[in-house]
Amino acid sequence: MAALTLPGLLRLALPLAAAILFAGTALAQAPELPETVPVPEFNRSQSAQEAAPADVPVPEPRPDVPKPPATDTLNQQDQPKETRPEPPAIAPAPSQKPAEAEPPATAPKPPEKPTQAQGKEIPPDPRSASVPQEKMPEEELACRRRLKSMGVDFEERKAEHDAAVGCSIPYPIALKTLGRSVAIGPETELNCQMAEAAARFAIDIIQPAAKAELGANLKSLSQASAFVCRPRHGGGKLSEHAFGNALDIASFTLSSGRKIDVGPALPEKDAKFLNAVRKAACGPFKTVLGPGSDADHSLHLHLDLAPRRNGGTFCQ
C-alpha cells in the first residue's frame, strides 16, 4: 500500500470538511420534531379519518352570574352552609289534573214518584166493583119506601159503572124534591142512601133554620154537583161524587123569592143562617166542607156519607 503524503491528505480533507459543513447547515434549518411520534391507526378507515375534526372546540367561558341586589336583608353567600336550601336533584313534575268523567249520552232519569192512585197506601175502593144484581136488594127497596113516606119525588135511573176509572152507582135515583115542599135542581142523581140523608137534612135542619134566621120557608135548593165520575181534586183517591154519595149545595131560595148564595162574604143574617146549617150538618154527614176550607169549596157546601173509621166525621 502506498503511503499518503501531506499533499494527498489535504486533497482528501477538503471535500470531507465541505460535506460536514453542509450537513450542519441543513440540520440547523430543519423543523423540530415532536417528542413522541403518533402511531398511525392501521384499522381506521380513510373516510373516518377524514371525518374526524382537526381540532376539538374549546368551550366558551361561562358568563359571570349577576350578584343579588344590595337591598337583600341576607345575602345567600352570607347564609350558613347548613341553612342554605339545596336544589332538588330532579325538579318535581306538576301533579296531573284528574280527568273529568264524561257525562253519559243521556242523563239517567230519577225514579218516578208513584202517585196516590199507583201507590200501595191507597188500595182500590171496593165500591168500584159494585154492579146491579138481577133483583134489587131489600135494603134498596126499603130506602125507596122511606123516601116516598117523606113525600120525596124521585125517578129510577140506569146503573152507572166505569171500570177504567172506578166509578160505580148500581141503583141510582134522580131527585125531584126533598120533601113535599122543597124542590131541588138541576136533576140530582144520587144513590138512595145519600138521597134520603139530603131529604131528612132539608126537612129537619134547613127548613127550621130558614124560619128562625130569615123568617121565611125554604122553597128550593140549587145543587152544584151530585154524581160525577172523577177522582178528588188533586188526583189520587176517587171522589165520593164518583159513587153518587155526595151533594154540593150552591144556594138556597126562600118562599119570599130571596136567594142566599154560599160564599165567603155574606150579609150578617145570611152568614148566621149558613153557619147554623153548616154546623148542624156535621154528624148526619161524614164530611162537611165549605167557604174557608180550601179554594175548591169556597162557593158551595159539600156534604157526603164517606165511610170513615169508627164512624168518624171530617168537618172543616
Side-chain angles (χ1 to χ4, degrees):
M1 182 176 180
L4 296 174
T5 61
L6 180 59
L9 291 175
L10 290 174
R11 286 192 300 268
L12 293 173
L14 287 174
L16 181 61
I20 293 172
L21 180 60
F22 179 78
T25 304
L27 291 175
Q29 295 177 355
E32 295 181 0
L33 297 176
E35 296 179 358
T36 59
V37 179
V39 180
E41 298 180 9
F42 297 100
N43 294 331
R44 190 174 182 183
S45 64
Q46 184 177 2
S47 60
Q49 292 179 6
E50 293 175 356
D55 296 323
V56 178
V58 179
E60 297 180 359
R62 185 178 180 182
D64 295 337
V65 178
K67 294 182 180 181
T71 56
D72 291 349
T73 56
L74 181 62
N75 190 289
Q76 186 176 2
Q77 295 179 357
D78 297 335
Q79 295 181 4
K81 185 177 181 181
E82 292 78 3
T83 61
R84 293 179 184 176
E86 296 183 359
I90 301 175
S95 58
Q96 296 181 353
K97 185 178 180 181
E100 297 182 357
E102 295 183 358
T106 57
K109 296 182 179 180
E112 295 182 358
K113 185 178 180 181
T115 60
Q116 288 184 339
Q118 297 172 344
K120 296 181 180 180
E121 297 180 0
I122 303 178
D125 197 306
R127 294 175 292 177
S128 298
S130 299
V131 293
Q133 302 175 11
E134 292 183 3
K135 184 178 180 180
M136 186 177 290
E138 177 57 32
E139 61 183 13
E140 292 290 335
L141 295 173
C143 177
R144 284 156 172 79
R145 289 194 293 266
R146 290 191 297 269
L147 289 177
K148 290 179 180 179
S149 66
M150 295 163 55
V152 176
D153 186 12
F154 64 91
E155 294 179 357
E156 297 288 346
R157 287 290 182 266
K158 186 178 179 180
E160 301 277 2
H161 185 262
D162 189 330
V165 180
C167 309
S168 181
I169 177 171
Y171 307 104
I173 61 175
L175 291 177
K176 302 296 183 180
T177 66
L178 294 173
R180 291 180 176 87
S181 59
V182 180
I184 185 171
E187 182 175 293
T188 307
E189 187 175 343
L190 297 169
N191 64 45
C192 191
Q193 292 72 29
M194 184 62 196
E196 181 181 0
R200 291 191 182 278
F201 185 63
I203 295 169
D204 298 338
I205 303 297
I206 303 177
Q207 188 68 277
K211 290 181 179 180
E213 302 297 338
L214 303 173
N217 292 325
L218 178 66
K219 181 180 179 180
S220 66
L221 295 179
S222 176
Q223 62 91 6
S225 180
F227 170 73
V228 181
C229 185
R230 65 171 176 82
R232 291 181 181 178
H233 291 290
K237 193 174 181 180
L238 284 171
S239 168
E240 289 301 309
H241 288 283
F243 305 104
N245 207 36
L247 177 65
D248 292 345
I249 301 174
S251 64
F252 307 85
T253 301
L254 304 179
S255 56
S256 61
R258 184 180 175 188
K259 184 179 179 181
I260 297 96
D261 292 321
V262 178
L266 296 176
E268 183 178 356
K269 285 187 177 182
D270 294 356
K272 189 175 181 181
F273 162 74
L274 185 61
N275 289 337
V277 170
R278 185 172 178 175
K279 184 177 181 181
C282 189
F285 298 99
K286 302 306 178 183
T287 307
V288 179
L289 301 171
S293 300
D294 53 45
D296 294 328
H297 299 91
S298 60
L299 298 177
H300 65 264
L301 193 64
H302 173 90
L303 312 172
D304 70 40
L305 293 177
R308 296 186 179 277
R309 186 179 302 176
N310 301 324
T313 58
F314 182 78
C315 304
Q316 194 175 53

